[in-house]
Amino acid sequence: MAVTVSFSSCLLCFVLLLPVLCSSQDTFLCSRATYYGSPDFLGTPTGACGFGEFGRNVNGGDVGAVSRLYRNGTGCGACYQVRCTIPQLCDDAGVKIVVTDHGEGDYTDFILSTRGFTKLARPNMAAELVAHGVVDIEYRRISCQYPGYNLVFKVHEHSRFPEYLAIVVLYQAGQKDIVTIEVWQEDCQQWRSLRRAYGAVWDMTNPPRGAVNLRFQLSGDDSKWVQLRNAIPSDWKAGVAYDSAIQISN
């Protein structure tokens, strides 16, 4: 359902630069969006979230950098519905994007891939929308969906077996954030926290020998913990992604 936004409400949103409800029914927030150029119109493998090639191709390349929503990396991997508010140019449904990078523009919360930005437009209106450069939008967080994919733990390429382990979580479904990751230290019988190195990359020096048992905590009122045995094998290798055999629900 299309939402009509008055000029005065969006002007107030622009002046205060704070999230203001555009519709109490759909809980969309007012902001602005622009786009970045890339040769293939997709994402970038060098984004601040540390996703690598996943950040370029995930969601078909409908990805974006965010500023305030980055939240020191906690916002990496979150999904949003974004739609612009120029009636004659903008599609009512907008585009669903995945956060893969950090960036700031002209009072924008979103800097979308060119592919994602053009999907804001009605059919045959993409070129005209792109010519605007920056557009007023409304957005809301939605559940990420990866049909056919489990949660994956990728050992970051900068890891060095066995003295330094860095991991990044890929294909996380739902709307919750991972706020803590811990590994089980068998020799002292306690959980040991990983450090958020940057973006979605978590790391530790001198990781436990043997298969890595880990648990992670999700955001929300229940602060749910998810525990996994042998999440990463004892002979882990840098650059290799390991399937968790589970997926996160809403």
Side-chain angles (χ1 to χ4, degrees):
M1 180 179 71
V3 177
T4 301
V5 183
S6 69
F7 175 79
S8 60
S9 65
C10 278
L11 178 61
L12 178 62
C13 177
F14 172 79
V15 171
L16 296 180
L17 300 180
L18 292 172
V20 177
L21 293 184
C22 297
S23 164
S24 60
Q25 180 179 357
D26 289 330
T27 62
F28 280 89
L29 305 177
C30 290
S31 187
R32 282 152 53 91
T34 185
Y35 63 93
Y36 61 86
S38 61
D40 52 11
F41 306 116
L42 303 178
T44 170
T46 59
C49 289
F51 286 140
E53 282 297 314
F54 178 84
R56 189 175 77 87
N57 296 305
V58 64
N59 198 37
D62 294 341
V63 299
V66 292
S67 53
R68 178 175 52 86
L69 299 172
Y70 182 73
R71 293 177 285 130
N72 294 319
T74 303
C76 288
C79 295
Y80 292 90
Q81 180 185 3
V82 180
R83 59 192 190 189
C84 59
T85 56
I86 307 172
Q88 65 272 27
L89 291 180
C90 299
D91 182 79
D92 290 343
V95 63
K96 298 176 181 178
I97 66 103
V98 179
V99 174
T100 59
D101 202 356
H102 175 268
E104 297 184 38
D106 183 15
Y107 299 115
T108 58
D109 273 312
F110 292 90
I111 305 177
L112 304 180
S113 64
T114 305
R115 177 185 174 91
F117 191 84
T118 58
K119 288 188 176 181
L120 296 173
R122 293 183 183 275
N124 303 315
M125 304 297 286
E128 188 171 346
L129 187 67
V130 167
H132 279 257
V134 180
V135 294
D136 292 327
I137 61 154
E138 51 191 22
Y139 71 93
R140 63 178 176 181
R141 187 165 181 181
I142 59 175
S143 291
C144 295
Q145 298 181 359
Y146 299 108
Y149 288 91
N150 294 319
L151 194 72
V152 168
F153 297 98
K154 180 184 177 182
V155 177
H156 197 275
E157 287 82 358
H158 291 165
S159 298
R160 300 183 304 277
F161 183 85
E163 66 268 14
Y164 173 72
L165 173 64
I167 64 173
V168 57
V169 183
L170 308 179
Y171 295 111
Q172 181 189 341
Q175 287 193 55
K176 295 186 176 181
D177 305 314
I178 292 179
V179 295
T180 305
I181 300 180
E182 298 179 340
V183 299
W184 178 248
Q185 193 83 36
E186 183 67 27
D187 55 358
C188 55
Q189 293 289 294
Q190 66 180 15
W191 290 99
R192 179 180 167 195
S193 296
L194 273 70
R195 176 185 69 120
R196 185 186 291 277
Y198 67 93
V201 180
W202 302 78
D203 71 352
M204 69 185 315
T205 56
N206 301 315
R209 300 299 175 96
V212 179
N213 301 322
L214 62 76
R215 67 178 184 178
F216 55 88
Q217 188 177 33
L218 298 171
S219 62
D221 295 336
D222 55 355
S223 299
K224 179 182 178 182
W225 284 91
V226 179
Q227 185 169 328
L228 296 169
R229 291 183 57 81
N230 304 325
I232 299 173
S234 58
D235 59 346
W236 53 265
K237 294 177 175 60
V240 176
Y242 299 100
D243 193 319
S244 72
I246 67 163
Q247 186 52 276
I248 303 301
S249 63
N250 293 337

